[in-house]
Amino acid sequence: MPTQAPTGAWIRRFHPAPAAGTRLVLLPHAGGSASFFFPLSRALAPTVDVLAVQYPGRQDRRNEACVDDLGTLADLVTAELLPWTDRPLALFGHSLGAVLAYEVARRLEERGTVPLKLYVSGRGEPDGRRGEQVHLLDDDALVTTMTLLAGTELEVPDEELLRLTLPSLRSDHKAIESYRHRPGPPLTTPVVALTGDRDPKVTPEDAGRWSRYTTGAFDLRVFDGGHFYLVRQLDGVADAVRETLA
């Protein structure tokens, strides 16, 4: 396999670390983009070679159709990552990205590639249904919902710019809200669950239920903060990744 795959439309490699022994793939939240993870990529370089995934329908891919089915998105991301599996590879997903990372890990294992680690952040177990229908909200209600979830941790663009992101937000929420867990064997990939202690969407107990989805080691890390705890807890998250990848 090549030592460096082409990044293409899907992969952002903000801080290339070709000498690093491991790679970490970062998968954003609903409505999020690869640039959300720029600070974490910078914090981990050059120890870890970080790849951030850019979903269609946002930023430089804004003219592409969004993918509103999580299984389809997992298939596409898996195909993009296969050329990067020439060295140990771990997955880190936040919120929607956590379930997507889990589904990508399943697909990689089915192909004989076991990820080094699966980091699931800001999301409860994949088989837990919230019954939310955020993607059906009108534009005003969707803006309000996203602003409240961001809290004081995530910098939200002014309303005019925020409304430009509504198509990707709506599509991503449809993908995660219509997702149904596919029965199958648990992962062998070790799992690390991370969450904020004041996340309105996920309690530490919810995050702990990820232990059911692997026969490998499981670790739970709880940080001070809400749904986007990792913005203010960047150093702690980077330390946790370095410690558990070692």
Side-chain angles (χ1 to χ4, degrees):
M1 283 192 177
T3 57
Q4 179 175 332
T7 53
W10 287 83
I11 305 298
R12 301 292 175 271
R13 202 175 182 211
F14 299 124
H15 306 93
T22 58
R23 288 196 171 109
L24 178 66
V25 178
L26 305 174
L27 297 148
H29 53 281
S33 60
S35 60
F36 172 77
F37 285 118
F38 184 92
L40 183 57
S41 172
R42 180 174 54 197
L44 291 171
T47 308
V48 182
D49 190 28
V50 178
L51 312 178
V53 174
Q54 184 80 306
Y55 308 143
R58 61 217 72 206
Q59 293 186 335
D60 57 332
R61 302 189 72 185
R62 62 187 176 277
N63 293 326
E64 300 178 46
C66 297
V67 179
D68 63 6
D69 179 83
L70 196 121
T72 300
L73 188 57
D75 289 339
L76 292 168
V77 171
T78 302
E80 292 293 326
L81 293 181
L82 287 174
W84 294 96
T85 57
D86 58 306
R87 69 183 68 174
L89 180 145
L91 302 164
F92 184 116
H94 181 65
S95 199
L96 166 145
V99 179
L100 178 59
Y102 164 74
E103 285 292 344
V104 171
R106 298 179 92 183
R107 285 157 172 77
L108 289 174
E109 287 201 3
E110 288 167 358
R111 289 163 173 78
T113 298
V114 178
L116 184 63
K117 200 81 67 175
L118 171 63
Y119 298 89
V120 287
S121 167
R123 186 79 193 185
E125 61 178 321
D127 204 21
R129 300 181 186 178
R130 295 176 175 173
E132 294 176 325
Q133 296 290 307
V134 173
H135 73 282
L136 297 179
L137 296 175
D138 63 33
D139 287 356
D140 289 341
L142 186 54
V143 167
T144 299
T145 298
M146 294 302 101
T147 302
L148 289 173
L149 186 60
T152 60
E153 296 166 325
L154 185 65
E155 183 177 351
V156 178
D158 63 47
E159 187 169 328
E160 183 177 354
L161 290 176
L162 181 57
R163 287 181 181 275
L164 294 177
T165 71
L166 292 185
S168 61
L169 269 169
R170 197 178 299 282
S171 175
D172 290 354
H173 277 280
K174 181 179 179 182
I176 192 61
E177 289 165 6
S178 61
Y179 167 79
R180 296 295 179 265
H181 184 258
R182 170 173 53 92
L187 297 172
T188 60
T189 303
V191 174
V192 179
L194 309 93
T195 189
D197 59 2
R198 298 188 305 281
D199 189 332
K201 299 282 189 180
V202 188
T203 66
E205 291 76 18
D206 293 334
R209 294 189 184 99
W210 277 99
S211 62
R212 304 172 181 175
Y213 295 83
T214 181
T215 59
F218 176 77
D219 192 5
L220 173 64
R221 303 294 177 100
V222 181
F223 295 84
D224 176 47
H227 188 64
F228 289 100
Y229 72 91
L230 66 176
V231 174
R232 293 187 177 176
Q233 301 295 335
L234 173 65
D235 290 343
V237 171
D239 287 344
V241 170
R242 279 190 291 263
E243 176 188 335
T244 52
L245 276 180

